[in-house]
Amino acid sequence: MTFVDIPVEIRSKVTISVDGESVDVLEGDTILDACTKAGKITPTVCYGPTVTPVNACRVCVVELEGSRTLVPSCSRPAEEGMVVKTDTDRVTDNRKMVLEFLATSSDVSQSDDIQGWLGDYKADLDRYDPETTERMTDEVKIEDDLYIRAYDRCVLCYKCVEACGEDAQWTFAIAMSGRGFNNRISTEFDVTLPDSACVYCGNCVAVCPTNALQFKTEFDLRKMGDWRPEDQTVTRTVCSYCGVGCNLDLHVQDNQIVKVDSPMDHSITSGNLCVKGRFGYQYVQNRPS
Amino acid sequence: MPEIAVTDAVATEAERNAVADSIMLQDPGQISFEAAGPALTFDGDRVARSGSERIFNRRHLLLPVLHDVRDAIGWLSEGGMNEIATALQVPPAEVYGVASFYELFTFEAPSAPDAVHVCDDTACRIKGANELKGELSAEGHNVHGSPCLGLCEQAPAVFVQRTGEAHVSVRSATKETVVAALGGAMTNPVAPVPQPTEDLTLLRRVHNAAAVDFDGYITTGGYGALAKAVSMTPAEVVSHVGDAGLTGRGGAAFPTGFKWSAVAAEPGPRHLVVNADESEPGTFKDRVIMEHDPYSLIEAMTIGGYAMGAEQGWIYIRGEYPEATRQLKSAIAEARSKGMLGDNVGGHNFRFDIELRLGAGAYICGEETALLNSIEGYRGEPRNKPPFPTTHGLFGQPTAINNVETMVNVNQIMMLGGEGYAAVGTEKSTGTKLFCLSGHVAHPGVYEVTYGATLREVIDLAGGPTGNLRSILMGGAAGSFIGTDMMDVPLTIEDSRASGFSLGSGVVMLLNDTVDFDDFVARIAQFFRDESCGQCVPCRVGTVRQGESLLRIREKGSPIETERKMLDDFAMVMKDSSICGLGHTASGAILSAIDLGLIGGHS
Ligand SMILES: Cc1cc2nc3c(=O)[nH]c(=O)nc-3n(C[C@H](O)[C@H](O)[C@H](O)COP(=O)(O)O)c2cc1C
Ligand code: SF4
Ligand code: FES
């Protein structure tokens, strides 16, 4: 994402070098934007197009000339004359290690992206002795019929916190708690969601990269071994509850709505909805028998 | 901002009173800063996320109020935190998120009102800390193991966190003295500085008990440096600091003059923050200055405020330093009442005041940007840099952050002039340096030497090693072990660097051949694991994985070569891809211990 809403016409051009190729981006764009423009595929976990990057995962690191350490491309603004390298062993080795760390501490099996990168970067998970390698082993929190929280799948990317807080909802029902490896996304005093300040907009679910936050419908279907994305259709419609006009994408399997989201690049929603749009779809399915 | 929604738990009357008293006591009127601007600022060609987008005028009171409630009640209950959330208009999830970041806050009614924190870290560990911990636990006290308490010269150390009463540290602790402290016995610290006054510069007042009072400070030449400073323009003061070649004593050895001129060049309001979080295992020099010469820090800060045009000074002191906190508190109040802090300092026509803030048990809050977040009432998670604090610091405003020892050198620079100061020491390492000697050494304590003295000379000053010296831990947990072949290296920034180690915060911990290095190094790994803020993946997971690797070497007989390959990979990603210095340095000591054959030998 770009950091500031400066009209495109007054943003000046910034030219940087990416793997020897000169790339033009606009003032306020990031190194990641430049890499993408140069056709580089950059893994990202904590970055999302609709949330402020907290640059916590560090999987997007690149080499920047003049910097002692690697820099997170997702959150470093491009500056005129920067020389960036993405195709070096140093970058590859570091990304591989970050991916190994992610996959050995959380259950990332439901993230297709991370699964793909683990292969691309030749992550070697077998060298971690399962007996002595500590993982997040939290039990799944099922507290209502709308969404579940499976923190053994959480990679602590902060996206849900940002979506619940300053980046979208301004509810602040969840925050990072604890410290270090004991960090957990938590409601106040770890109370259940219904007891918390949560308003069930589900905007956290929409940005979660690992399915740690998940529609209860999807959770149940997966548990039954009946989650079949290949058999699902996605129907775009407009929410009928109020006059804002949010787009909804209805994911349908076996003629049942199993998940609802909104396009991240939609000018009104930026992927965000309210509880009615996201979870209030049952009436659609109340067909006369 | 919608109304703060809290859970049904209600505060007790005592909790409500504690919150109200605390907010009254903080007297927000006294703190002069303008509310923070937006977090995303666009400034020339740089975009900065600094602090929060939300403007909560009371948010920065969160940590002090948490402290006050914990100190009154003994722990933090759901109702108590709801009360804090409502009073400060901070969402309760964030109150909990912040509180649970710190070691000194607990969330269940404790078994006994007073918590006993026994240091079981490096220096105390080799002086019987674990045994003491066992004895105290056996007697049913509310015992917690603690990382280094900064009392390494008087190991083993204990911090007694009382409820409704003043906290106290117990030095050279025994079961009996800890029990006495629980009953109200206070510590009257004696300066652990074995050198005589005539050999000391920065520490010249520490043997003079009168210097902790305003009048005593004045009669020992106090405020002479400020008088010199105000006879110059602020810009001249900054250039003296630059000419002096003063480098930061907090660990990174960054030139202070650069920092100060950068801040002075930014538009105000500006801040001067003193980093008194001193939590690097083996470091205790700043504590000695604050306990025995608190006004020298206040004077130096006042000079800094004048020089940079910073009207607000802050001291962030670690929560486990009760005696130093008391000295500073009373010295700040006294200086204020004497007109040496406030709207018109000493009649010199400038404003400068100091806020004292207490940490709550988090090594990472010594990292400068984590420290800023901590003061602002957020979790002590380091910020990504750039932007640097000199442009976007406290509340998004230009901020100079300096270590306590760095600061007090400013007095010396004023007295000698920049060039006069630079003539002391070597060309690249100017002035005198404090070293913290602990472990197996005849006279542990703080030693002040002119830069250029060799390691052997420093150790000789302290009476030499006891027992058969095996290795020396330089720079603390973030530093490295070195062998006895380094004895003749001059302890300067340049010579230590050339020899492959860093002086860091001045730790010189001697370890003889009675030390169980496997255990000792495992404790260092544990330290980083416990103290990682957990924000970035390389450090959150890397600090855990390296501890596991050591465990496999030690307990599963895993070959050192296999583990070394893993440890090198962990070290690489922590060094290259972590956000802050904690991750960057978390592997250094461990790898050096393997290189020196201190661990993994299975002899
Ligand atoms: C994990 C970590 C802990 C630190 N702890 C301290 C500390 O306790 N005291 C300190 O002065 N500097 C500490 N530092 C260094 C500060 O970030 C900063 O460099 C220093 O306060 C700047 O002051 P100086 O230039 O006067 O040294 C720490 C750095 C890191 C990365
Ligand atoms: S390196 Fe460690 S301490 Fe520093 S920001 Fe990352 S997780 Fe936190
Ligand atoms: S995607 Fe850049 S740090 Fe996570």
Side-chain angles (χ1 to χ4, degrees):
Chain A
M1 77 181 253
T2 43
F3 284 85
V4 270
D5 284 329
I6 320 170
V8 170
E9 54 281 12
I10 64 159
R11 285 163 67 194
S12 52
K13 192 180 75 177
V14 174
T15 307
I16 79 168
S17 154
V18 177
D19 296 334
E21 184 189 331
S22 152
V23 185
D24 292 340
V25 288
L26 292 176
E27 168 184 34
D29 286 349
T30 60
I31 294 180
L32 178 63
D33 294 326
C35 291
T36 306
K37 203 164 172 209
K40 310 284 167 195
I41 295 168
T42 311
T44 60
V45 173
C46 67
Y47 165 85
T50 59
V51 285
T52 314
V54 291
N55 54 83
C57 80
R58 318 299 281 187
V59 76
C60 67
V61 286
V62 296
E63 257 183 78
L64 171 64
E65 205 171 274
S67 169
R68 188 170 48 87
T69 58
L70 301 180
V71 302
S73 62
C74 69
S75 44
R76 186 67 178 262
E79 288 171 44
E80 185 63 36
M82 275 181 166
V83 178
V84 168
K85 293 207 176 75
T86 73
D87 58 0
T88 63
D89 286 349
R90 191 172 164 210
V91 169
T92 314
D93 290 348
N94 272 274
R95 289 180 181 174
K96 164 179 169 280
M97 284 308 300
V98 169
L99 289 161
E100 286 185 8
F101 280 176
L102 287 171
T104 53
S105 40
S106 317
D107 171 7
V108 292
S109 60
Q110 294 191 27
S111 166
D112 294 343
D113 281 345
I114 296 178
Q115 290 304 318
W117 296 321
L118 284 168
D120 297 346
Y121 285 89
K122 304 193 173 58
D124 177 6
L125 304 181
D126 294 337
R127 62 181 177 147
Y128 294 82
D129 163 39
E131 238 176 81
T132 45
T133 300
E134 186 176 349
R135 306 181 62 93
M136 312 225 332
T137 52
D138 307 47
E139 288 201 4
V140 58
K141 291 177 191 282
I142 306 173
E143 295 158 345
D144 51 70
D145 290 333
L146 304 185
Y147 71 99
I148 61 97
R149 298 183 289 156
Y151 286 132
D152 61 334
R153 298 203 281 261
C154 174
V155 288
L156 299 156
C157 68
Y158 292 68
K159 275 180 179 168
C160 55
V161 176
E162 296 285 317
C164 184
E166 286 170 26
D167 280 338
Q169 195 60 29
W170 287 72
T171 292
F172 305 97
I174 46 171
M176 192 63 79
S177 72
R179 192 168 72 207
F181 203 77
N182 300 332
N183 269 358
R184 288 297 181 276
I185 308 291
S186 171
T187 58
E188 59 266 36
F189 333 119
D190 202 20
V191 298
T192 62
L193 276 181
D195 283 336
S196 77
C198 177
V199 297
Y200 288 96
C201 62
N203 292 331
C204 53
V205 180
V207 293
C208 179
T210 58
N211 265 354
L213 305 176
Q214 189 172 42
F215 267 63
K216 177 80 170 10
T217 39
E218 175 174 351
F219 177 79
D220 289 340
L221 284 168
R222 281 184 186 264
K223 207 163 145 193
M224 292 185 296
D226 198 26
W227 177 253
R228 290 175 274 112
E230 63 285 2
D231 296 336
Q232 293 171 9
T233 57
V234 180
T235 304
R236 182 155 304 174
T237 180
V238 176
C239 179
S240 57
Y241 277 105
C242 80
V244 170
C246 298
N247 267 184
L248 302 180
D249 278 344
L250 307 177
H251 299 246
V252 176
Q253 175 177 318
D254 299 337
N255 214 22
Q256 293 283 329
I257 297 172
V258 291
K259 186 160 93 175
V260 178
D261 49 29
S262 181
M264 291 289 171
D265 58 358
H266 188 248
S267 60
I268 295 172
T269 68
S270 295
N272 298 308
L273 293 169
C274 76
V275 59
K276 301 188 291 284
R278 188 164 322 263
F279 292 112
Y281 55 80
Q282 284 76 6
Y283 73 96
V284 180
Q285 302 175 166
N286 285 345
R287 305 177 195 89
S289 47
Chain B
M1 184 74 208
E3 198 154 299
I4 298 288
V6 297
T7 62
D8 294 339
V10 188
T12 62
E13 193 181 339
E15 286 167 337
R16 276 202 306 281
N17 290 340
V19 174
D21 290 351
S22 175
I23 292 174
M24 285 257 280
L25 228 137
Q26 306 299 334
D27 189 10
Q30 198 153 66
I31 303 167
S32 86
F33 61 87
E34 278 148 39
L40 300 181
T41 46
F42 189 73
D43 166 18
D45 57 353
R46 176 155 293 162
V47 179
R49 179 184 172 83
S50 43
S52 170
E53 235 166 316
R54 282 167 288 157
I55 301 170
F56 286 144
N57 289 328
R58 287 176 148 191
R59 174 99 197 203
H60 70 96
L61 295 178
L62 180 53
L63 188 52
V65 174
L66 285 168
H67 264 299
D68 288 345
V69 174
R70 143 52 247 184
D71 287 350
I73 311 296
W75 62 295
L76 295 168
S77 74
E78 186 174 335
M81 284 187 281
N82 278 342
E83 181 73 16
I84 296 173
T86 313
L88 299 181
Q89 288 291 293
V90 176
E94 294 199 359
V95 172
Y96 179 67
V98 170
S100 61
F101 187 81
Y102 298 101
E103 213 48 51
L104 294 184
F105 299 137
T106 48
F107 306 97
E108 275 166 37
S111 58
D114 298 343
V116 178
H117 300 268
V118 181
C119 174
D120 56 15
D121 214 335
T122 49
C124 288
R125 195 171 193 83
I126 56 175
K127 297 273 171 89
N130 279 329
E131 294 69 21
L132 176 66
K133 204 166 71 180
E135 283 178 45
L136 289 163
S137 302
E139 297 222 331
H141 296 291
N142 174 9
V143 177
H144 305 257
S146 169
C148 180
L149 287 171
L151 291 161
C152 322
E153 83 287 6
Q154 297 166 80
V158 171
F159 168 59
V160 180
Q161 188 189 17
R162 305 195 63 202
T163 297
E165 303 284 344
H167 303 327
V168 57
S169 56
V170 188
R171 303 157 195 232
S172 307
T174 60
K175 193 180 75 186
E176 289 70 30
T177 52
V178 172
V179 171
L182 284 163
M186 301 296 278
T187 302
N188 224 343
V190 180
V193 179
Q195 289 165 290
T197 298
E198 53 272 25
D199 291 352
L200 301 168
T201 312
L202 292 178
L203 298 179
R204 66 183 175 281
R205 287 195 193 85
V206 297
H207 295 308
N208 182 346
V212 299
D213 294 324
F214 188 82
D215 294 337
Y217 184 67
I218 298 289
T219 55
T220 51
Y223 282 109
L226 178 65
K228 293 243 171 158
V230 295
S231 72
M232 298 184 256
T233 66
E236 283 167 345
V237 176
V238 173
S239 39
H240 275 285
V241 173
D243 294 343
L246 176 64
T247 53
R249 308 295 203 239
F254 188 83
T256 307
F258 283 3
K259 211 182 264 185
W260 284 29
S261 44
V263 171
E266 290 289 320
R270 309 175 192 87
H271 300 266
L272 168 62
V273 176
V274 164
N275 189 341
D277 195 47
E278 193 164 70
S279 309
E280 180 63 50
T283 315
F284 46 90
K285 63 195 175 67
D286 297 341
R287 189 201 84 228
V288 173
I289 295 171
M290 295 185 286
E291 282 178 351
H292 299 280
D293 195 7
Y295 285 99
S296 68
L297 177 59
I298 295 173
E299 179 177 3
M301 288 179 70
T302 311
I303 296 169
Y306 173 74
M308 288 180 275
E311 295 193 347
Q312 187 63 50
W314 305 76
I315 301 174
Y316 186 93
I317 186 171
R318 68 179 300 195
E320 299 92 334
Y321 272 181
E323 288 78 22
T325 303
R326 280 194 280 277
Q327 291 293 11
L328 283 175
K329 236 185 215 163
S330 83
I332 290 168
E334 187 68 11
R336 218 176 257 149
S337 80
K338 293 284 201 276
M340 296 311 286
L341 287 175
D343 287 336
N344 183 6
V345 175
H348 299 303
N349 253 329
F350 71 99
R351 182 183 192 286
F352 185 72
D353 212 327
I354 297 176
E355 250 304 283
L356 183 66
R357 286 297 169 90
L358 261 75
Y363 166 66
I364 190 57
C365 288
E367 196 281 338
E368 52 188 16
T369 56
L371 188 156
L372 298 177
N373 277 344
S374 181
I375 294 181
E376 289 183 18
Y378 292 88
R379 288 162 58 80
E381 292 170 352
R383 300 173 182 171
N384 203 43
K385 294 183 263 188
F388 292 94
T390 46
T391 59
H392 297 78
L394 193 59
F395 305 109
Q397 294 158 350
T399 303
I401 305 170
N402 279 114
N403 169 262
V404 173
E405 181 191 347
T406 315
M407 273 322 293
V408 295
N409 270 287
V410 170
N411 294 332
Q412 200 56 23
I413 293 173
M414 291 300 104
M415 300 315 287
L416 300 176
E419 285 175 16
Y421 180 97
V424 181
T426 68
E427 198 192 325
K428 292 203 177 108
S429 305
T430 58
T432 60
K433 173 79 193 104
L434 304 184
F435 288 101
C436 310
L437 277 89
S438 64
H440 295 128
V441 61
H443 306 297
V446 180
Y447 290 82
E448 179 173 5
V449 297
T450 302
Y451 263 125
T454 63
L455 176 57
R456 186 186 309 281
E457 285 162 348
V458 173
I459 292 176
D460 284 349
L461 267 182
T466 55
N468 200 358
L469 185 63
R470 176 101 193 266
S471 176
I472 305 134
L473 179 62
M474 297 295 294
S480 55
F481 293 93
I482 59 172
T484 48
D485 55 327
M486 295 283 177
M487 283 300 211
D488 294 311
V489 177
L491 295 185
T492 63
I493 300 163
E494 60 278 12
D495 293 295
S496 60
R497 199 169 282 162
S499 302
F501 64 94
S502 150
L503 299 181
S505 51
V507 174
V508 180
M509 195 181 293
L510 283 76
L511 303 163
N512 70 21
D513 57 9
T514 63
V515 172
D516 174 355
F517 278 94
D518 281 332
D519 174 73
F520 193 88
V521 174
R523 181 65 182 90
I524 291 180
Q526 182 69 32
F527 174 79
F528 284 112
R529 182 212 155 105
D530 291 346
E531 300 299 333
S532 163
C533 83
Q535 178 180 211
C536 65
V537 173
C539 169
R540 169 167 56 90
V541 184
T543 53
V544 174
R545 295 288 172 263
Q546 69 177 7
E548 292 163 350
S549 212
L550 290 176
L551 184 84
R552 285 193 293 270
I553 295 173
R554 193 179 163 195
E555 289 183 3
K556 298 188 108 191
S558 179
I560 190 103
E561 303 73 37
T562 319
E563 298 297 342
R564 178 65 199 246
K565 168 79 182 72
M566 306 261 289
L567 284 166
D568 281 339
D569 282 353
F570 303 156
M572 172 206 66
V573 69
M574 286 198 280
K575 261 198 192 131
D576 256 358
S577 299
S578 294
I579 293 178
C580 87
L582 190 146
H584 299 156
T585 57
S587 52
I590 293 167
L591 293 185
S592 69
I594 298 180
D595 288 343
L596 288 174
L598 298 174
I599 57 170
H602 296 293
S603 49

